Amino acid sequence: MSKYFVSTALPYANGPFHLGHVRSTYLPADIFCRYHRMIGDDVLLVGATDEHGTPIAVQADKEGKKPIEIATRYHNMIKRDIESMNISMDNFARTTDSLHYKLSQDYFTYLYEHDFIYPQTEQQLYCPNCGKFLPDRYVEGICPVCGGEARGDHCENCGRALEPHELEEPRCLTCNTTPVIKDTQQYYFKLSEFQEELTEYIENNEKLTDNVRNYARNWLKDGLKDWTYTRDMDWGIPVPLDEAKGKVIYVWGEAFLGYLSSAALWTRKDNPKWEEYWQDNAIHFIGKDIIYHHAIFWPALLKAHDCKMPDNIFAGEFLSLEGRKMSTSKNWVVWVDDFIKKYDSDLLRYYLTIVAPLNRDTDFSWDDFQRRNNDELADVLGNFLHRTFTFTKKNFQKKIPQFENPTEEDLEFLEQIKACPDIVGEHIEKMEFREGLVEIMKVVKAGNKYFNDQEPWKAIKTNEQKAANCLYLSNQLCKVLATLIKPYMPNVADKIASIINIDPSENWQDASQFLETGHEINKAKPLFKKIEDEDISKEKEELYKNLEENEEKEDENMEHEEIMSIDDFEKVEMRIGQIKEAEKIEKSKKLLKLQVDLGYDTKQIVSGIANEYAPEDLINRKVVVLVNLKPAKLCGEKSEGMILATENAAALLGVEDDCEIGERVM
């Protein structure tokens, strides 16, 4: 038996959960933990709400409330959403808990006393109108790397981590005043000292997934720099030094410790020591947007305290909605609470797992959700279960029939049933959650085919043993499914167990134990119902209504919307180009430098498509180029045009092979 310390990323307590939270972090963690508990491992699954930092303070300012009121409101909502999705959390805490405060301050003191933290005077932005320094999200402006809109801690466009004073054209989020630069003393963590140890950790830890390793490599390649560990704010955990009045520990300096403080609170409830779990296997489930923090900052903080670093960091990729990037500000999201009021949580758990591997961005589509529910859950899984149970009740008095003189087809199906638990388990062990669920549906489809081929409705009249063998094996598969489905769809698994008349399965080995001949099952009940077209139409109408209302509000706030005339459009010159050279730009995570042949000329174009395309995959590709754009400098490189792509650079516009280089697009 192994012990596992498993944590889920700490969500900011400034809003409830949407489907993206579930897909990237909480659902995969739950599948993993449920499975490992079922194979006999001792698992501790913890989480908490991240209740400090600027997002909560900004929200409080907007509403005229205290930050703790905002944090409490959304902590309760998030906890409700986690429970409604059947996430088997052992402890879900808050970073405003007194134990977390003590742990964070003790940790800071240890680092300070061991010379891993030092004071340094620096220049920061200060709003003369508000009379305060402006940390992180209290500042908005232009990214100095790519020229895109950015906030004080991060550029959404190029992915660069920033400091507020680095922004061009900065403005105070609260009052829109241009801030001034003033000296302030902050405390820095010596992140640079861990360059070699973190490189070793990232390169030689075979358990790390590729997306985590590759992302961390880029930051290590640039060279680690010391990291500001404090902020000038009144909302947060006070720095435990007499000379640091008015300063708090930076949220990323204490939020990680929420994993440990949540576990410590669990231990205090007469449970074993959480350290035993951490020392055996420590695994973090996060979204890909915080890989940098968990693969660089957190391991360094642990190493400085002479603690074991995480064994694995699993980062789920993003979920979009109806082909668009989710936006809470535009209400272009599906909130978990709204979903659960209309549909069983297992339907969402199934869809978010089956739709795509977690190491790939994917999209939630209401139409696809309906299709998979109706075609896969209702028509494949539900149909197999229901006709197995109803035929057993009608023709074998609700009892498992005798299995005798099996045919080659019987034995082949029997072997498929017996092999399934090991195959599914192996996929979950490897964190290939979708592949495990695909294997389950594969054997269910095989069960439907076997049932159809055996035609028990005919065989019962002419060859009763043939029908008996068919129903014996079909019931055994149903019993196996009551175990295998449990990590994915716990409600459905328990309902199957109830119909089969067995206790809900909590042991993976149950899947290999067949029902005895003569075992009596209960009355069958339909487990899935089809979702009607009008229901999906209502969901989409509501979604687009939200978007339209927000766009109308944005239009009302705009003083004037500039409309382009046909004469203006004729000034836009687009031509077919062919990419001859492509290379990454060192200072940016998103930009590529391209040399594009236009037939009559070659232009250098800087394009934000590095997250979607590898440079070598672009060579000789034909693209549409806006050629008469005023040249600009992006990340220090001259850009003489623009490559046309879909929103968020998800796909370059397609060009037919027979289009000539230099040909004008009309």
Side-chain angles (χ1 to χ4, degrees):
M1 179 184 74
S2 298
K3 291 181 182 292
Y4 285 89
F5 182 110
V6 181
S7 70
T8 51
L10 275 59
Y12 276 131
N14 66 337
F17 264 16
H18 56 67
L19 302 194
H21 293 112
V22 178
R23 195 255 178 180
S24 68
T25 305
Y26 287 82
L27 179 55
D30 188 57
I31 294 171
F32 179 87
C33 290
R34 285 179 179 272
Y35 167 76
H36 276 277
R37 292 187 188 113
M38 292 177 75
I39 64 172
D41 290 331
D42 193 358
V43 178
L44 172 58
L45 174 59
V46 297
T49 40
D50 185 355
E51 302 188 8
H52 298 121
T54 51
I56 288 84
V58 168
Q59 186 72 22
D61 288 348
K62 288 180 180 178
E63 297 187 24
K65 295 183 180 294
K66 295 179 180 179
I68 190 62
E69 295 179 80
I70 301 297
T72 299
R73 178 207 304 167
Y74 288 115
H75 168 83
N76 293 334
M77 287 185 181
I78 291 168
K79 190 170 185 291
R80 171 205 65 198
D81 293 339
I82 290 173
E83 291 171 351
S84 72
M85 284 304 301
N86 241 326
I87 307 300
S88 56
M89 195 74 67
D90 290 299
N91 196 71
F92 191 73
R94 307 177 61 174
T95 58
T96 49
D97 186 273
S98 59
L99 177 61
H100 180 76
Y101 268 58
K102 183 178 187 309
L103 178 63
S104 300
Q105 290 181 324
D106 287 350
Y107 209 92
F108 181 97
T109 300
Y110 178 93
L111 296 176
Y112 184 73
E113 290 177 348
H114 287 77
D115 295 326
F116 288 114
I117 288 179
Y118 62 92
Q120 179 172 298
T121 299
E122 62 176 35
Q123 292 185 324
Q124 282 195 357
L125 298 182
Y126 180 88
C127 178
N129 187 48
C130 295
K132 65 180 182 182
F133 285 99
L134 301 178
D136 300 344
R137 302 190 187 193
Y138 275 98
V139 189
E140 293 181 340
I142 304 300
C143 175
V145 177
C146 71
E149 288 287 332
R151 62 189 189 216
D153 62 345
H154 180 73
C155 176
E156 293 287 350
N157 186 48
C158 69
R160 193 75 176 180
L162 297 169
E163 292 290 341
H165 65 271
E166 295 179 305
L167 293 180
E168 297 176 0
E169 301 178 26
R171 60 187 180 277
C172 172
L173 180 66
T174 304
C175 66
N176 212 37
T177 298
T178 300
V180 297
I181 295 178
K182 288 185 68 174
D183 286 345
T184 182
Q185 180 173 279
Q186 298 297 347
Y187 292 81
Y188 277 72
F189 172 66
K190 295 180 179 178
L191 182 64
S192 59
E193 287 196 9
F194 298 91
Q195 175 84 31
E196 186 175 333
E197 289 163 305
L198 288 177
T199 301
E200 170 81 11
Y201 170 69
I202 294 299
E203 294 297 339
N204 297 326
N205 185 352
E206 296 180 357
K207 293 181 180 180
L208 289 180
T209 54
D210 289 342
N211 62 341
V212 171
R213 178 177 289 105
N214 292 336
Y215 197 93
R217 277 174 177 164
N218 289 334
W219 289 97
L220 290 166
K221 183 176 65 176
D222 290 345
L224 299 181
K225 297 176 177 61
D226 290 352
W227 174 45
T228 314
Y229 204 74
T230 58
R231 292 291 187 270
D232 289 301
M233 290 182 68
D234 54 8
W235 175 240
I237 299 177
V239 175
L241 297 173
D242 291 338
E243 67 269 22
K245 299 295 184 184
K247 300 186 189 300
V248 298
I249 300 172
Y250 177 39
V251 66
W252 277 113
E254 49 92 358
F256 299 117
L257 297 171
Y259 302 138
L260 309 188
S261 61
S262 181
L265 286 167
W266 175 81
T267 294
R268 288 189 173 189
K269 300 172 185 176
D270 294 326
N271 290 308
K273 292 182 177 180
W274 65 266
E275 292 91 341
E276 298 172 4
Y277 296 82
W278 181 275
Q279 289 303 322
D280 206 354
N281 291 285
I283 302 173
H284 296 309
F285 283 83
I286 63 171
K288 75 171 182 180
D289 55 327
I290 51 176
I291 290 176
Y292 175 48
H293 307 83
H294 283 76
I296 301 294
F297 291 171
W298 178 225
L301 287 173
L302 288 167
K303 193 68 179 175
H305 209 293
D306 200 25
C307 296
K308 172 190 168 184
M309 293 189 280
D311 294 280
N312 199 356
I313 302 167
F314 185 89
E317 301 283 321
F318 290 149
L319 179 73
S320 58
L321 175 61
E322 298 289 350
R324 293 170 176 252
K325 182 179 179 181
M326 286 196 192
S327 171
T328 55
S329 62
K330 294 183 178 180
N331 207 12
W332 186 255
V333 292
V334 176
W335 302 105
V336 168
D337 187 52
D338 290 339
F339 186 97
I340 295 301
K341 287 175 181 176
K342 302 168 189 173
Y343 307 100
D344 190 282
S345 61
D346 276 7
L347 304 186
L348 183 58
R349 289 173 67 106
Y350 176 82
Y351 181 77
L352 293 180
T353 304
I354 203 74
V355 69
L358 284 159
N359 60 3
R360 197 178 80 202
D361 288 350
T362 192
D363 186 66
F364 180 90
S365 158
W366 277 111
D367 288 332
D368 191 47
F369 168 72
Q370 178 196 25
R371 179 187 68 79
R372 287 187 180 273
N373 176 82
N374 294 355
D375 295 353
E376 297 172 10
L377 292 180
D379 286 348
V380 177
L381 178 57
N383 181 55
F384 176 75
L385 293 167
H386 193 67
R387 62 179 179 169
T388 294
F389 297 145
T390 54
F391 200 91
T392 302
K393 175 181 179 294
K394 179 181 178 181
N395 294 282
F396 295 97
Q397 296 76 51
K398 299 193 294 184
K399 295 181 179 179
I400 306 300
Q402 191 78 24
F403 185 64
E404 293 180 343
N405 303 319
T407 64
E408 186 176 333
E409 290 82 3
D410 294 334
L411 294 174
E412 183 179 324
F413 185 45
L414 175 62
E415 287 305 311
Q416 209 167 352
I417 296 171
K418 287 184 175 180
C420 194
D422 287 342
I423 297 173
V424 175
E426 185 176 346
H427 281 306
I428 298 178
E429 288 274 6
K430 295 178 180 177
M431 297 191 179
E432 298 169 348
F433 305 118
R434 176 182 179 272
E435 289 74 10
L437 188 52
V438 166
E439 189 63 33
I440 291 172
M441 295 305 294
K442 179 180 173 182
V443 76
V444 175
K445 291 175 182 177
N448 272 312
K449 182 179 185 304
Y450 170 76
F451 200 99
N452 289 337
D453 292 346
Q454 298 307 302
E455 298 181 317
W457 56 91
K458 290 183 180 179
I460 196 67
K461 302 173 184 177
T462 59
N463 185 349
E464 186 173 341
Q465 189 57 54
K466 179 179 180 180
N469 285 353
C470 175
L471 268 298
Y472 174 86
L473 290 176
S474 296
N475 275 285
Q476 301 303 348
L477 176 55
C478 293
K479 196 263 183 183
V480 169
L481 292 173
T483 299
L484 303 191
I485 287 176
K486 190 66 176 276
Y488 296 100
M489 296 184 286
N491 292 335
V492 170
D494 290 351
K495 289 176 182 177
I496 296 173
S498 177
I499 296 172
I500 297 175
N501 194 22
I502 60 175
D503 292 333
S505 178
E506 300 296 341
N507 188 333
W508 197 258
Q509 293 303 316
D510 289 345
S512 62
Q513 304 299 317
F514 277 16
L515 296 166
E516 293 182 358
T517 298
H519 176 87
E520 187 171 328
I521 67 172
N522 292 319
K523 183 180 179 180
K525 299 176 183 177
L527 297 183
F528 304 99
K529 65 177 183 179
K530 293 199 173 183
I531 299 172
E532 302 299 329
D533 291 345
E534 53 263 33
D535 295 330
I536 295 301
S537 295
K538 288 179 183 177
E539 297 292 354
K540 293 196 293 186
E541 285 172 10
E542 185 66 26
L543 186 62
Y544 280 93
K545 180 182 176 183
N546 292 338
L547 185 65
E548 289 171 4
E549 288 176 352
N550 277 280
E551 288 178 343
E552 285 175 5
K553 290 178 182 177
E554 290 178 1
D555 290 343
E556 290 173 3
N557 293 332
M558 292 175 64
E559 293 183 3
H560 178 69
E561 182 177 345
E562 189 172 340
I563 304 298
M564 181 185 290
S565 69
I566 188 65
D567 293 333
D568 291 329
F569 181 72
E570 286 181 352
K571 298 176 184 177
V572 177
E573 184 177 346
M574 294 179 287
R575 293 187 180 274
I576 303 299
Q578 188 173 44
I579 299 172
K580 293 299 185 182
E581 298 178 19
E583 61 180 293
K584 287 188 175 182
I585 294 178
E586 287 187 7
K587 296 179 182 178
S588 172
K589 305 296 179 187
K590 193 170 183 179
L591 300 178
L592 293 180
K593 182 169 66 174
L594 312 173
Q595 303 299 326
V596 183
D597 181 11
L598 295 167
Y600 61 90
D601 190 13
T602 297
K603 286 184 178 289
Q604 176 171 293
I605 296 175
V606 176
S607 182
I609 56 175
N611 290 337
E612 286 75 26
Y613 298 93
E616 59 270 18
D617 294 336
L618 292 171
I619 304 303
N620 293 325
R621 180 162 181 165
K622 291 182 178 178
V623 290
V624 179
V625 184
L626 179 59
V627 297
N628 62 335
L629 193 65
K630 182 179 178 180
K633 274 202 170 185
L634 298 177
C635 210
E637 297 285 352
K638 184 178 181 181
S639 183
E640 302 174 290
M642 182 181 292
I643 302 291
L644 270 62
T646 59
E647 187 178 15
N648 301 321
L652 295 173
L653 294 192
V655 176
E656 297 294 333
D657 288 338
D658 56 359
C659 289
E660 295 184 7
I661 298 173
E663 186 177 354
R664 186 163 183 176
V665 178
M666 305 297 291

